[in-house]
């Protein structure tokens, strides 16, 4: 084998993509030429509008446009309802628009029956924290479950000097009946006869209801066309509620319903989180399925118990305007007038994880 000794290397550009290389060896000369092919082709630029169907421009203000946000910084953190992920916002402004938007609304105390300005219930002390869950209407399963989950945490919150102000949709009689059935302290519950505060905060309105201006990300089921079609066929709110329970206009509801029946190995036992909801003898029956996790039918038993209480007191608990049974709520933690935690309920049975809510307040 002959040793290769290169005596000369010449690289000459040929249209920017070619090279001539010459080399010589002891016993022979080797000359070769390589030329890289050009892969550039003249591709005409086609506008993206050519692939989109023609749309009719409209000036309808009910169609959502990106909101103008100024003076507010936020970071996204994870929260969950019984380990189901959702999104929450932790705000960092000194005085939030949420607090200011509530100054125009009055609520009624379930304990005294007196009417007061909603924003006057907290905010005087800039260092004092307040948990403010905006329940749905008082006859909603979400309101029952959230109150039942939060009630065992009240002593811990009070020990940390954290107040609780729960707002629900309905009249005074509904608020008092709700407190009786859930054993939630009436001095912490206030009734709003409309969903106006919820609209001001931008909470989800439910299926086939117009999106409020404060709602940042309306979905197709809140579009003008869907609302108009439901009005044309006179779609009853009860039927809209059934549609939402089927997961339409209420994303994540069906998986949560199935989880109640099938159980969840990653969730703790339900009866520890919902004390005094199910009779003791029924709780003992679930021990045959094991301990230390959410067993099959355990959460479903809690919900069926609540369903019996709700349906037997339906007219008392629910608002006169049945469209409001579709309204979703949310939860806040205020420090003075500043929002330090916010959660928006995206769907039925997707209320805030109470553990996360309490942790944000402590």
């Amino acid at each position: 084998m002959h040793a290769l000794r290169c005596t000369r290397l010449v690289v000459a550009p040929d249209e920017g993509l070619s090279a001539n290389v010459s080399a010589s060896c002891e016993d022979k000369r080797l000359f070769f030429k390589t030329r890289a092919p050009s892969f550039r082709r003249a591709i005409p630029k086609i506008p993206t509008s050519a692939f989109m169907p023609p749309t009719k421009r409209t000036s309808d203000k009910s169609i959502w446009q990106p909101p103008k946000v100024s003076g507010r910084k936020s970071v996204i953190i994870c929260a969950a309802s019984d380990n189901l992920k959702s999104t929450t916002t932790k705000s960092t402004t000194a005085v939030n628009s949420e607090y200011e938007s509530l100054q125009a609304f009055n609520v009624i105390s379930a304990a005294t029956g007196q009417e007061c300005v909603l924003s006057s219930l907290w905010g005087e002390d800039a260092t004092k924290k307040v948990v403010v869950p905006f329940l749905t209407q008082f006859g909603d399963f979400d309101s029952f479950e959230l109150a039942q989950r939060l009630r065992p945490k009240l002593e811990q919150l009070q020990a940390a000097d954290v107040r609780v102000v729960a707002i629900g949709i309905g009249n005074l009689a509904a608020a008092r009946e709700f407190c009786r059935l859930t054993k939630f302290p009436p001095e912490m519950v206030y009734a709003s006869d409309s969903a106006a505060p919820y609209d001001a905060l931008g909470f989800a309105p439910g299926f086939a209801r117009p999106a409020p201006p404060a709602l940042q990300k309306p979905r197709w089921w809140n579009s003008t066309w869907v609302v108009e079609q439901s009005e044309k066929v006179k779609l009853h709110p009860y039927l809209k509620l059934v549609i939402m329970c089927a997961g339409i206009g209420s994303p994540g509801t069906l998986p949560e319903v199935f989880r109640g029946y099938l159980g969840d190995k990653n969730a703790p036992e339900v009866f520890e989180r919902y004390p005094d909801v199910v009779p003791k003898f029924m709780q003992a029956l679930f021990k045959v399925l094991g301990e230390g996790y959410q067993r099959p039918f355990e959460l479903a038993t809690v919900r069926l118990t609540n369903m019996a209480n709700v349906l037997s007191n339906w007219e008392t608990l629910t608002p006169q305007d049945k469209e409001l049974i579709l309204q979703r709520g949310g939860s806040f933690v205020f420090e003075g007038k500043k929002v330090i935690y916010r959660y928006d309920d995206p769907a039925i049975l997707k209320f805030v994880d109470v553990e996360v809510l309490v942790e944000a307040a402590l």
Side-chain angles (χ1 to χ4, degrees):
M1 179 179 296
H2 297 283
L4 179 64
R5 184 179 75 248
C6 295
T7 58
R8 183 167 59 93
L9 176 64
V10 180
V11 179
D14 185 3
E15 297 180 356
L17 291 173
S18 63
N20 293 327
V21 181
S22 300
S24 63
C25 302
E26 291 180 348
D27 57 341
K28 64 179 180 180
R29 295 194 177 191
L30 175 64
F31 176 83
F32 62 92
K33 178 180 180 182
T34 61
R35 181 183 180 90
S38 175
F39 293 98
R40 291 177 176 266
R41 297 290 185 270
I43 302 177
K45 292 185 178 180
I46 302 176
T48 56
S49 59
F51 298 99
M52 302 296 292
T55 57
K56 182 178 179 181
R57 296 185 179 274
T58 177
S59 59
D60 189 354
K61 295 183 179 179
S62 64
I63 298 178
W64 177 80
Q65 296 179 354
K68 296 180 179 180
V69 181
S70 60
R72 174 176 176 173
K73 297 180 180 179
S74 62
V75 295
I76 301 300
I77 61 177
C78 291
S81 174
D82 288 332
N83 294 331
L84 291 180
K85 291 184 179 179
S86 185
T87 57
T88 61
T89 304
K90 188 173 182 181
S91 303
T92 58
T93 50
V95 178
N96 292 91
S97 60
E98 289 93 339
Y99 181 85
E100 295 175 350
S101 65
L102 297 175
Q103 295 177 357
F105 306 108
N106 294 343
V107 291
I108 301 174
S109 169
T112 64
Q114 295 180 350
E115 187 174 358
C116 59
V117 178
L118 178 53
S119 61
S120 68
L121 297 175
W122 72 90
E124 295 298 327
D125 188 347
T127 62
K128 190 175 182 62
K129 293 182 180 179
V130 182
V131 175
V132 187
F134 279 83
L135 310 171
T136 48
Q137 50 97 5
F138 288 115
D140 191 70
F141 300 151
D142 291 26
S143 296
F144 268 64
E145 288 191 33
L146 179 53
Q148 290 163 346
R149 285 282 310 278
L150 186 58
R151 183 164 57 87
K153 302 291 185 181
L154 294 179
E155 185 176 350
Q156 181 183 5
L157 291 170
Q158 290 172 352
D161 197 26
V162 177
R163 289 186 59 210
V164 175
V165 177
I167 314 298
I169 300 175
N171 56 27
L172 178 59
R176 288 176 170 173
E177 184 67 9
F178 172 81
C179 293
R180 184 184 72 82
L181 293 172
T182 61
K183 302 177 182 178
F184 202 85
E187 60 271 16
M188 300 181 182
V189 177
Y190 295 82
S192 173
D193 58 0
S194 72
Y198 293 68
D199 292 341
L201 293 170
F203 290 140
F207 179 78
R209 295 188 68 224
L215 181 61
Q216 294 189 4
K217 295 182 179 179
R219 308 296 291 272
W220 63 265
W221 49 80
N222 303 124
S223 64
T224 303
W225 185 86
V226 172
V227 174
E228 290 177 350
Q229 296 305 310
S230 67
E231 292 175 351
K232 285 182 180 179
V233 300
K234 297 181 179 180
L235 195 63
H236 197 277
Y238 290 168
L239 184 54
K240 293 180 183 180
L241 183 61
V242 171
I243 293 173
M244 291 181 67
C245 290
I248 302 174
S250 186
T253 294
L254 277 182
E256 180 61 18
V257 172
F258 293 145
R259 197 175 71 91
Y261 288 98
L262 300 177
D264 187 348
K265 291 285 187 179
N266 298 319
E269 292 184 16
V270 166
F271 299 134
E272 295 179 357
R273 293 175 288 160
Y274 297 85
D276 305 327
V277 178
V278 178
K280 295 293 184 181
F281 76 91
M282 293 186 64
Q283 298 182 23
L285 297 176
F286 284 90
K287 291 185 178 181
V288 299
L289 300 175
E291 296 181 357
Y293 74 101
Q294 181 184 308
R295 294 156 291 196
F297 292 95
E298 191 177 18
L299 182 56
T301 302
V302 172
R303 289 171 176 168
L304 290 173
T305 303
N306 288 336
M307 180 185 295
N309 287 327
V310 168
L311 294 181
S312 60
N313 299 277
W314 180 256
E315 290 302 324
T316 303
L317 290 169
T318 56
Q320 185 175 4
D321 182 4
K322 299 306 179 187
E323 283 286 333
L324 298 181
I325 66 176
L326 309 173
Q327 177 69 49
R328 299 297 93 201
S331 297
F332 290 91
V333 176
F334 283 88
E335 187 174 26
K337 300 179 181 180
K338 179 178 65 176
V339 174
I340 61 174
Y341 179 86
R342 171 173 180 161
Y343 178 94
D344 291 30
D345 301 350
I348 295 174
L349 299 180
K350 295 293 294 291
F351 55 90
V352 67
D353 185 337
V354 173
E355 299 293 338
V356 178
L357 179 65
V358 171
E359 184 180 354
L362 296 178

